[in-house]
Amino acid sequence: NVRSSVRSMTLMELLRLRNMKIHMVPIITPSLVFEKTVCGGQYTFAPYLAARYSADYQVIMFIDGDTAMIESSNKRTLNEIIYDRFFGRKSTKCAGHRMRLIEQYVRPEYNSNEGLLQCTQDLALNEQKWQYALNNCHLKEGHIVARTDSVYAFNVHHPDTLADYLPEGVEDCIYPHDFTMLQVGLSDNIPSAERYVFGEDEFVQVHLRDRQRKAECACFLNHA
């Protein structure tokens, strides 16, 4: 959480503090896969990894390597936010929840570890930039967080579940093609996204892209 006044800590310290473990699974993929498919690694191996590790965890999430997770405050950890969404008293009982994603284009001169960290900090600590990004840079659907007892063929943006896979009282809340319909204005029949999208008061996924999608959504720009 870059908004925190607490001293910086190492990744190992953070994981130990939150009792989290990271599984890194090396998978050798022929280059032909990426020549013939779009996002071949994502859509091919996300279901495999979910099937392999779902038995060990309550919740599984898909995160791109070029994204940052920014929590809204120090009141709850990321684990607590996710637990409350899925299992807390006020849970909406959705099998999957989508992260709210905002994009920031990273120009070549800033495409380094230091530049990416500075871009994220600059965005998160500047209230004006942060609000501009929330209002104008939500350009694509965010990645998925799903209950492991409900996934069928885990997808990057959707839990892809079946009725027979859902525990009693849990449902698949994400409307098919919801983000595309919202973009073109066909949103009248779409249930409230608040039910299955993490709010800005919980945590936000910042996508640090090396390709520009919208000129105003870029690192180190000042928005009047």
Side-chain angles (χ1 to χ4, degrees), residues 22-23 25 36 41 50 109 115 119 126 141 152 178 203 210 219:
I22 294 179
H23 285 287
V25 183
K36 298 296 184 180
E109 60 266 33
C119 172
N126 187 309
E141 63 267 53
Y152 167 64
D178 62 330
F203 71 93
D210 60 359
C219 293

Side-chain angles (χ1 to χ4, degrees), residues 11-49:
L11 177 59
M12 182 177 294
E13 289 173 332
L14 178 62
L15 295 175
R16 184 178 298 137
L17 179 67
R18 297 189 174 182
N19 195 27
M20 296 174 65
K21 295 180 180 179
I22 294 179
H23 285 287
M24 300 188 70
V25 183
I27 300 174
I28 300 174
T29 306
S31 59
L32 181 64
V33 171
F34 297 97
E35 293 171 2
K36 298 296 184 180
T37 65
V38 177
C39 297
Q42 292 184 357
Y43 292 98
T44 302
F45 291 111
Y48 160 74
L49 293 175

Side-chain angles (χ1 to χ4, degrees), residues 8 15 18 24 35-36 40 43 56 61-62 65 80-81 97 107 115 122 145 160 178 182 189 193 209 216 219:
S8 298
L15 295 175
R18 297 189 174 182
M24 300 188 70
E35 293 171 2
K36 298 296 184 180
Y43 292 98
D56 299 325
M61 60 198 304
F62 188 98
E80 290 171 331
I81 292 170
H97 290 265
R107 294 193 292 273
D122 183 63
V145 186
D160 277 354
D178 62 330
L182 286 166
N189 297 320
R209 287 171 53 90
E216 306 93 299
C219 293

Side-chain angles (χ1 to χ4, degrees), residues 38-194:
V38 177
C39 297
Q42 292 184 357
Y43 292 98
T44 302
F45 291 111
Y48 160 74
L49 293 175
R52 170 64 180 82
Y53 292 107
S54 285
D56 299 325
Y57 301 96
Q58 293 174 297
V59 171
I60 192 168
M61 60 198 304
F62 188 98
I63 309 173
D64 270 354
D66 56 355
T67 60
M69 317 301 290
I70 300 182
E71 300 159 36
S72 63
S73 72
N74 295 321
K75 295 180 180 179
R76 291 188 295 168
T77 66
L78 183 60
N79 272 2
E80 290 171 331
I81 292 170
I82 293 173
Y83 181 87
D84 289 344
R85 268 281 183 166
F86 283 96
F87 308 107
R89 290 185 296 106
K90 297 182 179 180
S91 170
T92 55
K93 304 300 181 183
C94 293
H97 290 265
R98 188 172 285 158
M99 302 179 218
R100 181 181 176 87
L101 181 144
I102 59 177
E103 289 194 355
Q104 294 289 281
Y105 167 59
V106 181
R107 294 193 292 273
E109 60 266 33
Y110 300 126
N111 196 0
S112 65
N113 289 338
E114 293 76 13
L116 295 175
L117 288 171
Q118 184 59 45
C119 172
T120 305
Q121 186 174 45
D122 183 63
L123 174 67
L125 295 180
N126 187 309
E127 188 64 28
Q128 186 176 10
K129 291 183 179 181
W130 183 249
Q131 288 302 319
Y132 183 90
L134 288 174
N135 295 330
N136 298 279
C137 301
H138 184 201
L139 307 180
K140 292 288 289 182
E141 63 267 53
H143 292 132
I144 196 70
V145 186
R147 291 174 57 129
T148 54
D149 61 3
S150 305
V151 296
Y152 167 64
F154 188 69
N155 188 283
V156 175
H157 300 291
H158 198 281
D160 277 354
T161 190
L162 298 175
D164 292 340
Y165 281 73
L166 295 172
E168 184 177 357
V170 177
E171 60 180 302
D172 184 3
C173 306
I174 301 179
Y175 196 89
H177 311 299
D178 62 330
F179 192 82
T180 301
M181 295 179 73
L182 286 166
Q183 283 186 312
V184 298
L186 303 177
S187 58
D188 292 341
N189 297 320
I190 300 178
S192 174
E194 292 180 1

